[in-house]
Amino acid sequence: MSGETIYKLENAKSGRSSCKKCKIKILKNEIRLGVETDGPSFKLQSWYHPTCFTLPRKLVKEKGITALQFVEELLEDYTVDEVCSNDTEMIVRQIEEKVSVTKKEKGGEDGDGVCTERIKKNLARLRKEVLGSSDDDDAEYENQPKKKRKMNKLSEEERAEAEVYAMYEKKKNDELKDVLRWNNQMVGGNKDALLTRIIDGQLNGRLGICPSCEKGKMKLKDTEAAKAYCNGYFDEENQARIPCFYECSLKEAPRLLPWYTEEPSEEEKEKMKAMAEEGASNNINSSSTSENIDAKAKLLKRASKLNWNLDSK
């Protein structure tokens, strides 16, 4: 018979555990949140970054537990610095960020799902344009008001998103994760999340280093595909996790170039590593760099001149 669930906060004893949510390794001495339950004959243990942990529905919906109550009453603190007592506000804030986005009960989809569904619809419209429309479709289009015709026309950016989606839609999750690994991006989540990151990266460049803490890696927000955030970094010198709460729109997000569509060479990997170690000094802004604008303009131009063979689907 399974027993009570135990929640605990501690410094990771090694660098071998991975966060169950984002799948990224939790570094030695980095703060991790554990969930322990009793199985039939053994204990089940899961680890999370505090910013990746979501309060279970049974606590939030059935018992009305808030993030503050969870930290003060249910979370056992084994950290060296007694974080729950000495920095309660930080832990509560990290967990509250996840509580606020657990709203699927309202019938909505997550940000990634909404994003890819929109791109799928645009791709269907684009394919219809390429294959040609019927006389009935042409007549229906001509009968529409000019304002509605303009609204129904795909923008160059929508066409570019659809083109990138078409490149990757039939690939397996492991293949998509390889592309993200080549670019040092997050590899957790479902296929929608993976595709959303790849489409953003290929059009805008790799998400760069946080301009606020200047060391943490920016990530695409799972619940709001139009935003990026940083949750901090591990300070090797002080052997402690340094939290960060920076957030911005994707247009303002710092970027690194190039985006790799094939596995980079050893030399290119070393260059990426050096850029990460140098911090935010290598960042470029996705909406202001001339190099990125030129690359994006070429992609948009290419998308507007698509000539696909779509006879077989």
Side-chain angles (χ1 to χ4, degrees):
M1 189 172 99
S2 59
E4 184 182 0
T5 301
I6 296 173
Y7 303 95
K8 58 186 179 181
L9 200 68
E10 67 174 38
N11 299 88
K13 298 178 177 65
S14 69
R16 295 192 298 271
S17 62
S18 296
C19 175
K20 188 175 180 180
K21 171 70 175 178
C22 71
K23 312 301 181 187
I24 294 174
K25 288 285 186 184
I26 299 174
L27 302 176
K28 183 178 180 180
N29 292 322
E30 186 176 1
I31 293 177
R32 63 183 183 181
L33 196 154
V35 180
E36 184 179 294
T37 54
D38 290 329
S41 58
F42 52 86
K43 290 186 182 294
L44 299 174
Q45 180 79 66
S46 300
W47 296 107
Y48 300 84
H49 293 110
T51 50
C52 292
F53 177 73
T54 302
L55 283 183
R57 182 177 176 178
K58 65 180 181 181
L59 295 180
V60 179
K61 297 294 180 182
E62 297 175 15
K63 298 183 179 181
I65 298 291
T66 65
L68 179 60
Q69 289 174 315
F70 174 76
V71 172
E72 292 182 340
E73 300 172 16
L74 299 178
L75 191 59
E76 299 179 8
D77 189 357
Y78 297 97
T79 59
V80 175
D81 298 323
E82 298 183 342
V83 176
C84 288
S85 301
N86 298 327
D87 208 346
T88 308
E89 185 179 345
M90 178 193 73
I91 297 297
V92 170
R93 184 177 173 185
Q94 290 177 341
I95 295 174
E96 276 182 335
E97 185 177 86
K98 294 300 174 187
V99 172
S100 65
V101 300
T102 309
K103 296 180 180 177
K104 289 188 179 180
E105 293 81 8
K106 293 188 176 181
E109 296 177 84
D110 60 44
D112 298 321
V114 171
C115 179
T116 50
E117 281 303 314
R118 173 180 60 79
I119 294 172
K120 283 179 191 175
K121 289 178 182 177
N122 289 342
L123 178 59
R125 291 168 61 188
L126 194 56
R127 282 175 169 157
K128 190 174 181 181
E129 283 183 26
V130 174
L131 290 170
S133 55
S134 67
D135 292 339
D136 290 340
D137 290 334
D138 290 338
E140 184 181 347
Y141 179 80
E142 290 298 329
N143 290 330
Q144 289 179 351
K146 288 184 179 180
K147 185 176 181 181
K148 190 172 182 181
R149 286 189 219 170
K150 188 174 182 181
M151 287 173 62
N152 285 338
K153 188 175 180 181
L154 289 176
S155 68
E156 288 189 346
E157 187 165 0
E158 287 173 328
R159 288 170 177 268
E161 288 177 338
E163 182 184 10
V164 177
Y165 181 87
M167 292 169 59
Y168 293 98
E169 65 175 327
K170 295 191 184 301
K171 291 190 179 292
K172 296 179 180 178
N173 281 16
D174 286 344
E175 294 175 300
L176 298 176
K177 288 179 181 180
D178 282 340
V179 176
L180 292 168
R181 287 191 187 98
W182 297 338
N183 292 281
N184 288 336
Q185 303 296 296
M186 282 179 61
V187 297
N190 58 23
K191 189 168 185 176
D192 280 341
L194 303 177
L195 284 167
T196 300
R197 291 181 204 133
I198 288 174
I199 291 168
D200 170 67
Q202 191 148 329
L203 291 179
N204 300 304
R206 310 191 309 269
L207 283 169
I209 306 302
C210 175
S212 178
C213 67
E214 298 190 337
K215 290 188 178 180
K217 289 169 65 175
M218 295 295 294
K219 305 174 186 69
L220 195 65
K221 204 160 187 178
D222 288 340
T223 52
E224 297 177 68
K227 289 189 176 182
Y229 75 101
C230 171
N231 62 356
Y233 65 95
F234 185 74
D235 188 330
E236 291 285 354
E237 184 178 347
N238 296 309
Q239 290 293 292
R241 176 81 181 176
I242 308 300
C244 179
F245 304 98
Y246 179 76
E247 187 177 297
C248 65
S249 69
L250 284 185
K251 289 185 178 180
E252 299 170 330
R255 302 285 178 167
L256 296 170
L257 292 175
W259 174 267
Y260 295 98
T261 56
E262 297 179 350
E263 184 172 9
S265 65
E266 291 302 318
E267 182 180 349
E268 289 169 328
K269 288 178 183 177
E270 287 300 318
K271 186 177 179 181
M272 277 198 292
K273 185 178 178 181
M275 290 173 75
E277 290 174 349
E278 288 169 12
S281 60
N282 286 300
N283 282 342
I284 54 175
N285 186 283
S286 64
S287 60
S288 62
T289 174
S290 59
E291 183 181 355
N292 204 36
I293 288 173
D294 290 343
K296 191 169 182 178
K298 289 177 183 177
L299 231 178
L300 294 172
K301 186 176 181 180
R302 188 154 57 97
S304 66
K305 297 179 179 180
L306 287 174
N307 185 18
W308 297 342
N309 180 7
L310 302 175
D311 293 335
S312 59
K313 293 184 180 179

